[in-house]
Amino acid sequence: MATRGKKSVTRAIDQMNLPLQWQLATIAAVQLETPEVKTFSLALPDWMRHRAGQHYDLRLRAADGYEAQRSYSIASAPETEGQVQLTIEKIDDGEVSSFLHEVAVVGDQIEVRGPIGGYFVWEAALGGPLLLIAGGSGIVPLMAMLRHRAAAGSRVPTRLLFSARSYDALIYREELDRLAADGSGLEVFYTLTRSQPAGWRGYSRRIDAAMLATVAGPLGRTPLCYICGPTLLVEATANGLAEIGVAANRIRTERFGPSGS
């Protein structure tokens, strides 16, 4: 037992010191999250524990040598061994996302490399209070944090503000509601920017300083803040947090493209 443990530690250290290598992952499962979003569970022959907030690179290669490569955040908790889950939104004219949504099936193999990233990460040991703010598919790395929080048994006060275009576009909505109801100290707030169902009780506008003051207020002036989403949302939210007195060194951001909520 001691010998095997020593070998595992040595192997982990070696992995950290070597450049990340491409490997062939097998699609083990595909789950529809919204009409435009799917979660792909990838079984990895050389699995390595990630940190919540990291991502993987995916690479497609055609017979003529053409390559397309994209980066996708990890949705699963680090405690999920042997595989990772990548939640991917289908983008108009997106080479990789279109292939995954329209062509790829369970059993297919795809080249991946990761986990990658060390800035936009959260671990239970970092504590809180924790403020998570997502726009559209920016919820993905924050979901990894929430799943890790649950798996670690953390009860650090946490609030999530999730902005989406419509009710149907709220990725992971049912799971988020379950996590918020488990008594662990997580509260979830939604804002729908384009359309709302009858009887909607959440917010109905883009994130602004007034909304942030209401959501973040009970966490005090020094929450750890993670913002992920389209560039305009991330910049506006970071500025809004500064307006209500949150220090810049407590805010971490990750952004993507011009589209989103």
Side-chain angles (χ1 to χ4, degrees):
M1 292 292 291
T3 301
R4 286 198 295 271
K6 184 176 180 180
K7 287 181 179 179
S8 297
V9 172
T10 301
R11 181 172 179 272
I13 293 173
D14 288 342
Q15 283 180 314
M16 288 188 291
N17 291 333
L18 290 173
L20 289 170
Q21 302 297 314
W22 291 97
Q23 60 178 307
L24 276 178
T26 301
I27 300 177
V30 180
Q31 177 176 325
L32 185 67
E33 302 287 356
T34 76
E36 299 297 327
V37 177
K38 290 181 179 180
T39 292
F40 297 84
S41 296
L42 305 180
L44 300 171
D46 193 17
W47 178 83
M48 182 178 178
R49 182 184 173 102
H50 65 275
R51 301 170 70 192
Q54 290 186 300
H55 67 271
Y56 266 76
D57 290 340
L58 270 65
R59 181 169 67 184
L60 303 179
R61 292 201 279 187
D64 63 2
Y66 176 77
E67 293 186 2
Q69 181 178 320
R70 299 290 184 273
S71 298
Y72 294 106
S73 295
I74 303 168
S76 49
E79 291 78 8
T80 304
E81 297 189 2
Q83 64 175 243
V84 295
Q85 294 178 341
L86 306 181
T87 299
I88 298 173
E89 180 180 10
K90 182 182 176 183
I91 304 299
D92 292 339
D93 300 323
E95 294 175 310
V96 177
S97 67
S98 293
F99 173 83
L100 291 169
H101 274 256
E102 299 172 2
V103 180
V105 296
V106 171
D108 284 352
Q109 292 188 314
I110 188 167
E111 285 187 287
V112 302
R113 178 178 62 184
I116 299 168
Y119 170 72
F120 195 80
V121 296
W122 181 80
E123 296 167 312
L126 292 175
L130 190 60
L131 176 63
L132 308 177
I133 303 171
S137 59
I139 187 63
V140 178
L142 306 186
M143 193 67 200
M145 297 177 189
L146 292 175
R147 287 170 170 165
H148 166 60
R149 178 182 179 276
S154 172
R155 301 182 70 86
V156 62
T158 303
R159 289 188 154 205
L160 167 68
L161 175 57
F162 185 4
S163 173
R165 294 183 177 119
S166 66
Y167 188 74
D168 290 340
L170 289 169
I171 307 168
Y172 314 126
R173 178 180 51 80
E174 292 184 359
E175 184 178 356
L176 288 170
D177 290 345
R178 287 196 302 271
L179 290 173
D182 70 5
S184 67
L186 168 66
E187 296 178 83
V188 176
F189 302 84
Y190 301 116
T191 183
L192 304 180
T193 60
R194 296 194 182 179
S195 65
Q196 303 81 30
W200 176 247
R201 296 183 179 181
Y203 292 107
S204 303
R205 65 183 192 273
R206 296 183 182 275
I207 295 172
D208 54 31
M211 188 186 302
L212 292 170
T214 300
V215 174
L219 298 177
R221 288 292 188 92
T222 58
L224 287 171
C225 304
Y226 293 82
I227 312 167
C228 186
T231 297
L232 291 178
L233 178 145
V234 170
E235 291 178 350
T237 301
N239 290 336
L241 289 175
E243 284 184 40
I244 65 172
V246 178
N249 64 2
R250 301 292 285 180
I251 303 171
R252 297 189 180 187
T253 64
E254 185 166 276
R255 64 197 71 198
F256 56 83
S259 63
S261 58

